[in-house]
Amino acid sequence: MAKLYTDGALLPRAPSIAAEWLEAARKAGSAKASRLLGQMLLTGDGLPRDRVRALAMLEEAAAAGDLSARLVLGRFYRGDFGGAPDWPQAIATFKDATDAAPNYPGALLEFGRTLRDSPAELRDLEAAANMLRRAIDAGSVLALRELGGMLLLGDADAAAEGLRLLTAGANRDDPAAAVILGRWLLDHSREAGDRAAAWKWLRMAAASGNVGAAKTLARSLTAQGEFAAAGPYWRQAADHGDAEAFVELAALQQEGRFDAGRGADELLGDAMAASEANPFGFVVLARALRDGRFGEPDRGAAYALFRRAAEKGEPIGLREAGVALATGDGVGRAPAEGRLLLEAAADRGDFMAPVLLARGLVAGWFGEPAPNDAQSLLERAASEGSTPAALELAGFHSRGAFGPIGEGEAVEWWRVAAAAGEVEAMRSLANAYALGFGVPADLRHAADWLERAAALGDRESMYRLAYIYDAGVGVDADPTKADHWMRSATSTTASLNRLP
């Protein structure tokens, strides 16, 4: 009876009535009923949320041998249902689950995810990969995606295996795997064929209703000038209330590139309405107005929309409004308020806010230039894992913004950013080795760094490799490689991994 009232298939859905039947089953000794009641108490579906009672119910079910209850407990400790995570307890709970059922794919999958996503001091990527491989062997399609995505962050061999696993997942009707696969191929495309393959996977995911895939595909098609093909995918995203999609459809309609079936003004009105629920839409619309996509650039109107996003706590809105106030872009200068907004954006995790704060401190946006404060701010952000901060530190040191030019310091921070996959840092290291800036001059090393950047889809590095292999600069002349890199450069999309 509880299932009938929960599912709503044969009887009207009534979770509160289902809870009464589950309580009766629990008192009769059903571990499954205890687990389901615990889940209802966690989610507030049919019962008031009560984490303490939920935990007691789940522990009762787990103690009675209900493996699914143990997995829900692990997710509870991981923070999946809100609240602060207890990572050691989550790891211990999932380990107990895999010990109890060594071949159960769900337990192996969740244990692998937890070992991968834990804080650095608890993270164990090797063990995570092992658990995910075991889950794959046990038949988990989701583990193909989880391990595949994880391996894409590794070296070339690992990335190749990741692509193979994601392809297997996509072919087994996992749209999320198709999205990851499509996005990776777009980000690393060297040939038109790579882009076509990416579009194939994204189309597959979009056809299953994945709005993220539709947006990614629409962006890529628009960037390639395939406006008629992009339109239906923007429309798919707009049908789900996406403000960016409304803005893009309005632009295509106004430019006569796609018949959206409605006027541009009406679509922009829809974008404004959608932005009330998702304030990032205000940011998208503000950028369109600032860039003159609907006539002359209107920086005042852009600031007003950035401000609306900021008032709703949207991090990029806070950042953009802060820069506008600090510099007087579209609004009267108010440096102190601008700094407060930039600091608020940084507190909300906007990765560019510390960089822009540092630039403002060096440039004197907020008063007298304060390069020492800028350096401390960036070093703190970089130590917390911010690649943009590391790249900015390298640039400031290379230009002498903190005092005398610091060649060694610049190279050190470029290495940090390059290790995180930042192609601009790789190109800068190539320049350093070519010029002997902070390191002994070594043209072979310069070519190596260019090849690393080119392998990540950086077009500028591809052009430079074409030249050095053609001229034999630092490497043996190789017309075949020169031709390869020139063809790759002319067919690839814009450089990747750039700061916005």
Side-chain angles (χ1 to χ4, degrees):
M1 289 298 296
K3 182 174 175 58
L4 292 176
Y5 281 113
T6 302
D7 294 347
L10 299 177
L11 295 173
R13 189 172 188 274
S16 59
I17 298 176
E20 295 175 5
W21 284 101
L22 288 171
E23 181 60 33
R26 171 182 168 267
K27 290 177 178 177
S30 168
K32 181 178 179 181
S34 297
R35 184 238 305 166
L36 293 174
L37 280 168
Q39 289 178 265
M40 294 174 78
L41 288 163
L42 277 179
T43 61
D45 183 17
L47 291 172
R49 290 178 187 270
D50 188 331
R51 293 170 64 84
V52 174
R53 285 189 63 209
L55 188 58
M57 294 284 185
L58 291 168
E59 287 178 341
E60 177 181 279
D66 189 294
L67 181 62
S68 294
R70 201 181 297 268
L71 297 183
V72 176
L73 271 173
R75 293 177 57 217
F76 172 86
Y77 290 123
R78 195 169 61 190
D80 289 11
F81 299 98
D86 183 342
W87 288 104
Q89 189 63 47
I91 291 171
T93 302
F94 284 126
K95 183 179 185 305
D96 288 345
T98 56
D99 288 345
N103 297 314
Y104 183 61
L108 295 165
L109 173 68
E110 295 297 348
F111 194 17
R113 283 172 167 166
T114 305
L115 290 168
R116 179 196 63 194
D117 298 338
S118 296
E121 64 272 16
L122 298 172
R123 189 177 304 138
D124 189 335
L125 296 181
E126 183 177 350
N130 180 52
M131 286 296 155
L132 292 171
R133 290 186 197 284
R134 286 174 59 188
I136 291 169
D137 291 342
S140 171
V141 175
L142 294 182
L144 291 167
R145 179 216 307 166
E146 297 287 345
L147 181 57
M150 180 177 163
L151 291 173
L152 289 183
L153 303 177
D155 59 21
D157 289 340
E161 183 184 0
L163 289 173
R164 180 181 62 78
L165 293 173
L166 286 165
T167 301
N171 282 327
R172 292 175 67 178
D173 298 323
D174 180 3
V179 173
I180 296 170
L181 189 57
R183 287 175 175 166
W184 193 93
L185 287 169
L186 281 180
D187 287 348
H188 298 80
S189 62
R190 296 188 202 167
E191 310 283 350
D194 295 333
R195 193 161 54 244
W199 289 349
K200 179 192 81 169
W201 292 117
L202 291 169
R203 283 191 176 99
M204 178 187 296
S208 73
N210 189 296
V211 178
K215 282 184 64 176
T216 300
L217 181 55
R219 287 192 192 112
S220 179
L221 289 165
T222 300
Q224 294 298 317
E226 300 283 349
F227 303 112
Y233 294 105
W234 284 125
R235 182 181 285 155
Q236 180 179 344
D239 288 343
H240 287 79
D242 186 86
E244 180 187 356
F246 285 124
V247 171
E248 292 295 334
L249 282 172
L252 292 175
Q253 179 72 31
Q254 181 157 305
E255 295 161 357
R257 300 181 185 275
F258 177 74
D259 182 5
R262 297 157 65 199
D265 289 344
E266 185 181 356
L267 289 163
L268 290 175
D270 289 337
M272 288 289 289
S275 299
E276 293 294 340
N278 179 5
F280 181 69
F282 289 129
V283 173
V284 173
L285 188 51
R287 287 173 169 170
L289 293 172
R290 184 184 61 188
D291 297 342
R293 296 195 65 189
F294 300 102
E296 290 298 314
D298 190 338
R299 306 187 83 80
Y303 166 74
L305 288 170
F306 285 135
R307 186 74 194 211
R308 287 188 69 173
E311 288 168 353
K312 290 179 174 288
E314 208 292 318
I316 299 178
L318 286 163
R319 180 225 299 173
E320 295 280 11
V323 171
L325 286 165
T327 61
D329 184 8
V331 64
R333 282 197 73 217
E337 186 180 3
R339 181 170 184 169
L340 288 174
L341 292 181
L342 282 166
E343 289 171 348
D347 289 342
R348 284 169 170 76
D350 182 68
F351 69 94
M352 281 300 295
V355 171
L356 291 166
L357 271 168
R359 290 177 186 173
L361 289 166
V362 170
W365 289 356
F366 315 113
E368 291 296 316
N372 291 338
D373 291 347
Q375 183 175 355
S376 297
L377 174 67
L378 289 172
E379 287 178 350
R380 184 167 61 252
S383 71
E384 294 171 354
S386 170
T387 301
L391 190 62
E392 194 76 5
L393 276 167
F396 278 147
H397 278 298
S398 71
R399 298 190 297 274
F402 302 138
I405 289 176
E407 296 187 6
E409 292 88 347
V411 168
E412 176 186 346
W413 287 112
W414 278 325
R415 290 190 190 281
V416 171
E422 175 54 61
V423 296
E424 185 177 339
M426 296 176 189
R427 273 190 275 106
S428 296
L429 284 169
N431 291 338
Y433 276 106
L435 300 172
F437 181 90
V439 290
D442 188 327
L443 293 175
R444 178 64 260 181
H445 270 61
D448 288 343
W449 279 111
L450 288 174
E451 290 190 348
R452 294 187 199 188
L456 292 174
D458 184 59
R459 183 163 53 188
E460 183 177 333
S461 295
M462 295 175 190
Y463 278 123
R464 291 172 65 181
L465 284 168
Y467 166 74
I468 65 174
Y469 276 112
D470 182 62
V473 178
V475 297
D476 293 335
D478 189 327
T480 301
K481 286 186 177 180
D483 180 64
H484 164 75
W485 286 119
M486 181 57 71
R487 284 188 292 104
S488 296
T490 54
S491 66
T492 195
T493 54
S495 291
L496 309 159
N497 299 322
R498 299 288 187 91
L499 300 180

